Amino acid sequence: MRAARSLATLDDVESGDHVCQFLDPAENGVERSRAFVADGALFGDKLVIVGTDDRPAPEIADAPARVVLDPARLDGSALLAAVRREAASAGREGFRALRILRHVTADHRDARRDTMLQSELDLEEFAADSGAMVLCTYRPADWDPPTLDQVRCVHPHHMGSRPAAPEFRVYTTGEGRWRVSGVIDSEGAAAFGAVLRSLVAHATTLRLTCHDLEFFDAAGMRALADAARFLPERVVIVEGANETVRLSWGLSGYAVPEVPVVMVP
């Protein structure tokens, strides 16, 4: 079963992983990605590069089975469609798996901000369903903190030590279910709400598995209620919420028909 975890090196990337890697301003993203590319060549994987770093290296430029996709032409669902096509062709061409190296740069930043979260959720589902390995690199200096919070929490796997905030993860376990782990408090409530709104917009019934949720405060509950009301014809089913959460939900006045959330043990 998939679980959130930190990786010491890119050699630790496994089938179905969706990894987030933050870069320092002066750091070369291609340099940091060499192990990911080298392992692909070693194991017979097809490499798909989405976007390019500003300092390309021969090891990646000359990588076998390399496909480069232009992110400027892949807005909305187009990115998911493109990687699905590459995955299908990889199987026919005899590759073991697909490796996606995504450089998310500040180019077209304003246009991307609206679709970036959904594209990450799409890649998360794609990695889990297909077994592809997805590595996304960001330069935090290029993005505002709320956007980075959203990026962090929808990658179940990340490089280095665990980020200070937000302290939760939302990731898929397959079959339309999304697992919520960690702590959702006032610092992470806004990011949690943004993720839920994106998920609710694309599912008639959204199932959240919360057995690994350690803490869920009033701000998090308000974010959940607001997201559920975002499209009231949808239903959010929260599974594994403990008795304290279920009681607090009712006492907060959210257990009403206007908030289409069902909490079950």
Side-chain angles (χ1 to χ4, degrees):
M1 183 175 66
R2 298 177 87 224
R5 74 184 199 281
S6 60
L7 309 179
T9 71
L10 290 176
D11 291 326
D12 297 331
V13 178
E14 299 175 354
S15 175
D17 282 357
H18 181 204
V19 185
C20 184
Q21 179 174 252
F22 283 171
L23 306 174
D24 294 331
E27 198 167 23
N28 189 327
V30 173
E31 291 279 352
R32 287 284 302 274
S33 306
R34 280 180 172 172
F36 184 74
V37 175
D39 283 347
L42 177 64
F43 294 114
D45 299 335
K46 186 174 185 178
L47 175 66
V48 174
I49 300 175
V50 183
T52 56
D53 193 86
D54 55 358
R55 285 158 289 183
E59 289 82 352
I60 290 181
D62 298 334
R66 177 181 66 94
V67 175
V68 178
L69 302 177
D70 182 359
R73 300 181 179 181
L74 297 174
D75 292 336
S77 61
L79 174 59
L80 180 61
V83 296
R84 287 193 185 281
R85 287 194 298 270
E86 295 301 333
S89 65
R92 293 192 302 268
E93 294 161 357
F95 292 102
R96 184 194 69 155
L98 192 70
R99 287 180 180 249
I100 300 172
L101 174 57
R102 186 187 188 205
H103 296 294
V104 189
T105 67
D107 296 337
H108 308 98
R109 176 167 45 192
D110 292 336
R112 286 191 183 197
R113 188 176 283 108
D114 294 336
T115 60
M116 191 165 64
L117 175 59
Q118 186 57 51
S119 71
E120 289 290 9
L121 290 170
D122 288 343
L123 288 174
E124 166 59 12
E125 281 196 292
F126 174 75
D129 293 343
S130 69
M133 291 152 278
V134 182
L135 172 62
C136 302
T137 65
Y138 288 81
R139 296 186 187 279
D142 293 340
W143 302 95
D144 57 89
T147 299
L148 291 176
D149 286 347
Q150 294 173 24
V151 166
R152 285 189 184 102
C153 68
V154 297
H155 285 83
H157 315 108
H158 58 276
M159 291 293 299
S161 59
R162 182 174 178 175
E167 297 184 31
F168 71 92
R169 291 289 182 273
V170 178
Y171 57 96
T172 185
T173 56
E175 299 180 349
R177 295 176 182 269
W178 292 81
R179 183 174 293 272
V180 184
S181 65
V183 173
I184 301 176
D185 54 17
S186 58
E187 291 188 8
F192 183 59
V195 172
L196 290 182
R197 288 191 296 274
S198 290
L199 291 175
V200 167
H202 292 81
T204 302
T205 300
L206 173 61
R207 296 183 178 273
L208 301 177
T209 303
C210 297
H211 297 284
D212 297 331
L213 187 59
E214 301 167 19
F215 182 72
F216 194 33
D217 76 355
M221 291 186 188
R222 184 167 58 253
L224 171 58
D226 290 345
R229 285 189 288 241
F230 176 63
L231 288 173
E233 68 273 16
R234 312 299 172 93
V235 176
V236 180
I237 300 176
V238 179
E239 302 173 342
N242 62 41
E243 184 177 356
T244 299
V245 169
R246 297 197 305 273
L247 179 61
S248 299
W249 182 259
L251 292 175
S252 300
Y254 296 133
V256 294
E258 294 78 16
V259 181
V261 174
V262 178
M263 291 208 171
V264 296

